[in-house]
Structures are given as C-alpha cells and as structure tokens.
Amino acid sequence: MKKLFSGKHRRNHSCEGAFAGGSGTNLDIASELQAPETSSGARHRGPSHLQPAHLANTEHTSPPGRHSLHLQHPQLQQHQQQQQYSHYLPAGVHPMMLQQHQHSHYPPGVLAPVNLNDPAAIEDANVEEAKRASLQVFQEQLCREHEENMLIMEKEQKRVKAQRAAQEAKLAAYRLSHKYYESGSLEYSEPLVDGFYMLYGDFPELEEVVDANTKFPSLDELRRVPLYEGDVREVVFVDADQDSGLVAIQEKASVATCEAAVRANSDVERAFRRITSLAQVVVDVLGGSYDSEEMLQQMWLAASSKEKTRSKCIVIHLAHLTAGTCRHRALLFKVLADSLNLMCQLQRSRHSETEDERVVNVVQIDKKDYVVDLVYQPGCLEPLNKFVAQNPTFSHLRSGCQASTRYRAPVPPLPGPPP
C-alpha cells in the first residue's frame, strides 16, 4: 500500500478532491486506469474502500473506467466516454435506447446511453424522446405550411400574371379594333387577335361616355347599349376562347386547305389552292354564294336580328351568324387566314353616298397582290390593280395609302325607346 501512494504514483495537485471521502489520500487516475493485471488476470482496481460497495468484491470484466467515471476529473471523464462509446456499447445498455444527448458535456455525435436498470434514466429518456418526437412533428408541420404557402404564392402569381395578360390582350384588341374603325385597313403584318370587334352603324348614346381621346367605345360600353326592335346596328365580335363555333370552323378550314395543298405541283399552285379552298369554307359558313348583294343583305338582316334577339345585345359572335355580307365574310376569311399563316389584308372601301360599306381581302402570292371574291365566285382571285380600276371606292389601295376618312354606314333612323 505504501508503494501505491508513494513517489511517482502520487496524484497531481490539480486533481485533488476528485475522490469523495478520499481522507486526504492521493491517487493517480491514470495509474488506476492502467494498473497491471493480477495473477488471476483481473485488472487491479485500487483500494477497496475507494470502490463502490457493489463492486468491491467482484471481478472487473466490463470496460475499464465504466463504473468509476464519477471518480474522474470532468475532462478525463468526457475523453473516456468518447473513447469507449466509439468502439462498443457498455454492458447493460440496450442498443435501441441510444439517442443523441443534448447536454453540453456531450459533444455532437456522442450518443448518450440509457441504463435499463435505472427507472429514472428510462423516464428521462422517454421525456427526451417525446421532446424529440414533438420537435420533429413541429418541424414537419412547418415544412407542410411552408409548402402550402409556396403553392398559394405560386397560384397567386399565376393568377396575377393571367390577369395582367388578359388585360394586355384586351387592350391590344381594343387598339386594333380602333385602328380598323378609323383607317379601314389591316395590313399583312397586323393579324387579328381574340377580342377584336367590328362596328356597323353609329352610337350617339355613347358620345358622353367614350374615351375623349379615341372617341371609340369599348366592348363593355357597347354591350350596355339598349336593343330596340328594328335596330340594324351591329357589333361583330371575334374570340375563339368564347366561341366554340369559331374553333370548329378553324378546324374545318385547316383540313380543307391541307387536302387542297396535297394535290398541288408547285408552291404557287399550292398557295392558290389553299386560298380557294379557304374561301369556299367561308362562303359555306355564311350563307353560300349569291347573284346580288341586295339578296345577301336581306339574308344577313334576318340572321343578325335573330341572333341579337337571342343574346339580347347588339354584340354578337361572328360564328353565330348563319348568313353574312361581304364585311362578315372578309372578317372571317382574315381570321382563318391568320390562323393558317397566310398573307392577308382586310380593306374597307372609302365613303360613298351611293354604295353601302364594302370590305374585301387582299392576299399575296409570289409577291403579287390579289383580291379574293367571297360573294359571286367564291375563291376567284383578281389582280389588285384590275380590281381597283373597276372599283373607284378602293382607289386608295393602288397608291398604298389607307382609307383616311372613317366610313359611317347608312343606318335608318332609330325608333323611339320601347314603352
């Protein structure tokens, strides 16, 4: 015993008081951990009065220092735990009970063992496990809420984007409609857009509410115009999104032009065949061919009155008409030609005291301009110069200028408001 506590085996002054009830004795902890084995093979554990009672008379078969960690300096205790837990699990500890210890003296990555023989330790482990599970549930809930918020934000962004796009499309249609109303011309580079509308007649009741700069009524303002019996005024509206009949006509035109193009032997012949077949589709949809425009006018008035009465509004969809004059046919031809990427213009005649409004389509084939007949001989193409020479109200097309004066269709006097 004297050798054990003498000389180089004395404990350093910095480790004094590490033993509870040490009676002023000094013990080198490193010497204890590295004590030589006895003749029986067991490692020497030091004086029995310094050992716990339940270990005093038992062989030390468990890992060194496990039962005496509470006698060590805190820094050595932490180092010893890291060493032994990185290689094996202590005796009496179930592997399923290992968990990440949250106390400050356990560094990250060091697992805290739970002794199944200690009810208090098990209870603490259950509490910690419950906290961990609760935290995990809370984090999962936060993740779900974050994902839901992101979805809501994406939907809102899509809604705002769609609303902005709809407003821009509506404004573009208004500007194009106003441009045609003033100039009477839509060029090759000006395709029709959904929302375009063509006016027929005057609307003096809207002079106080229309835009002071443009003097052109919007579609919403035109829809509020009261409908009188015998009123021949009309607003033809083009919108494939709201008119399933127009979509069906577009599909029919696509099939007809494809079938016609197959039989062509050259690009020029293919273009002529496509335009001719497209003109025939337009004529078939809007009442067929007629020998006189007066008869066609009567057919249109009956069809327009019927549709306005049904919709209770002067704004009607183009595809809902069963008969149409040259302006309806030219408008439908322009819509279909644009959808098929055919070069097409929409041209209106100048004002004339003796003639009603006339609208024609000008197409371009092999860099030459032709006027398409949509009334008498459907699909017949007449060179533009020849057509202008025979129709003075289209003389502005020869010089390349537009119909600068706005054309106001002759409309009979309106009847008084209904009683």
Side-chain angles (χ1 to χ4, degrees):
M1 296 297 292
K2 291 183 179 180
K3 287 184 178 181
L4 181 63
F5 291 97
S6 63
K8 62 180 180 180
H9 297 287
R10 291 183 179 178
R11 187 183 56 175
N12 294 333
H13 178 71
S14 60
C15 297
E16 290 182 358
F19 295 100
S23 302
T25 60
N26 297 327
L27 178 63
D28 191 340
I29 297 177
S31 299
E32 180 187 6
L33 296 177
Q34 301 176 1
E37 295 184 358
T38 61
S39 58
S40 62
R43 190 180 297 275
H44 183 72
R45 295 190 301 269
S48 61
H49 69 279
L50 297 179
Q51 301 176 12
H54 66 284
L55 297 177
N57 299 320
T58 59
E59 272 195 358
H60 188 72
T61 58
S62 58
R66 183 171 68 86
H67 298 294
S68 59
L69 287 178
H70 65 284
L71 302 179
Q72 298 180 12
H73 190 275
Q75 294 181 354
L76 293 177
Q77 180 181 358
Q78 177 180 349
H79 176 72
Q80 187 69 18
Q81 288 174 339
Q82 294 179 1
Q83 293 295 324
Q84 67 183 20
Y85 294 150
S86 63
H87 298 289
Y88 53 83
L89 297 178
V93 177
H94 196 277
M96 298 301 294
M97 297 298 293
L98 292 179
Q99 60 180 355
Q100 179 71 30
H101 203 282
Q102 302 296 327
H103 298 296
S104 59
H105 60 273
Y106 280 101
V110 177
L111 297 177
V114 178
N115 194 342
L116 296 179
N117 299 324
D118 188 354
I122 295 177
E123 183 178 357
D124 293 342
N126 292 335
V127 172
E128 291 295 331
E129 180 66 19
K131 291 181 179 179
R132 187 194 63 79
S134 177
L135 179 61
Q136 183 177 359
V137 171
F138 178 69
Q139 291 175 344
E140 292 176 355
Q141 182 179 359
L142 286 180
C143 291
R144 287 194 299 269
E145 291 179 355
H146 177 70
E147 292 177 357
E148 292 176 358
N149 292 335
M150 292 299 295
L151 291 176
I152 293 174
M153 291 179 60
E154 290 178 1
K155 290 181 180 179
E156 182 64 17
Q157 291 176 355
K158 290 181 180 180
R159 185 191 66 81
V160 173
K161 186 177 180 180
Q163 184 178 7
R164 186 182 297 112
Q167 292 175 352
E168 293 176 355
K170 186 176 181 180
L171 180 59
Y174 173 83
R175 290 174 176 173
L176 192 64
S177 303
H178 180 220
K179 191 262 183 186
Y180 176 77
Y181 181 73
E182 292 290 341
S183 66
S185 174
L186 292 180
E187 302 297 329
Y188 293 129
S189 59
E190 295 175 316
L192 285 177
V193 297
D194 286 338
F196 177 87
Y197 53 100
M198 179 187 291
L199 278 63
Y200 179 77
D202 294 329
F203 299 89
E205 59 267 58
L206 297 179
E207 291 181 357
E208 297 181 359
V209 297
V210 297
D211 191 335
N213 296 324
T214 63
K215 301 295 183 181
F216 184 67
S218 67
L219 195 62
D220 294 333
E221 293 169 344
L222 290 168
R223 284 194 172 105
R224 291 193 291 267
V225 172
L227 180 63
Y228 302 112
E229 184 178 357
D231 190 352
V232 298
R233 295 179 302 177
E234 177 189 74
V235 178
V236 180
F237 179 53
V238 177
D239 193 344
D241 292 336
Q242 302 182 22
D243 190 354
S244 59
L246 182 58
V247 176
I249 296 173
Q250 289 177 334
E251 294 176 353
K252 181 179 179 181
S254 178
V255 173
T257 54
C258 288
E259 292 178 352
V262 171
R263 299 188 297 269
N265 297 322
S266 64
D267 293 341
V268 174
E269 183 182 358
R270 183 179 298 106
F272 274 104
R273 285 182 176 274
R274 292 183 68 191
I275 291 174
T276 301
S277 61
L278 183 60
Q280 189 62 53
V281 171
V282 172
V283 171
D284 293 341
V285 169
L286 292 177
S289 59
Y290 288 86
D291 295 334
S292 67
E293 293 189 5
E294 290 76 12
M295 183 179 299
L296 188 59
Q297 184 85 359
Q298 295 300 321
M299 294 291 295
W300 159 71
L301 286 174
S304 177
S305 177
K306 180 180 179 180
E307 181 60 27
K308 287 186 292 185
T309 302
R310 187 192 66 82
S311 61
K312 299 179 181 180
C313 181
I314 64 171
V315 179
I316 58 178
H317 288 279
L318 175 61
H320 290 185
L321 290 172
T322 57
T325 63
C326 60
R327 68 174 181 275
H328 303 93
R329 300 183 179 206
L331 178 60
L332 180 57
F333 187 92
K334 172 69 171 172
V335 172
L336 299 178
D338 290 340
S339 66
L340 297 173
N341 297 322
L342 295 175
M343 301 286 287
C344 179
Q345 293 182 6
L346 188 66
Q347 298 290 348
R348 186 180 63 203
S349 62
R350 287 182 179 271
H351 173 66
S352 174
E353 298 293 341
T354 59
E355 292 184 7
D356 197 359
E357 177 185 35
R358 294 186 61 192
V359 182
V360 298
N361 294 111
V362 179
V363 297
Q364 190 175 77
I365 302 176
D366 196 22
K367 298 181 180 181
K368 297 179 181 180
D369 296 329
Y370 299 88
V371 176
V372 185
D373 189 349
L374 297 173
V375 177
Y376 304 107
Q377 297 178 351
C380 180
L381 301 181
E382 186 175 2
L384 178 61
N385 293 335
K386 181 179 179 180
F387 174 82
V388 170
Q390 298 175 355
N391 298 272
T393 55
F394 287 95
S395 59
H396 58 283
L397 298 180
R398 179 181 298 171
S399 58
C401 61
Q402 298 177 349
S404 57
T405 57
R406 181 171 64 246
Y407 177 79
R408 296 183 180 274
V411 178
L414 298 179

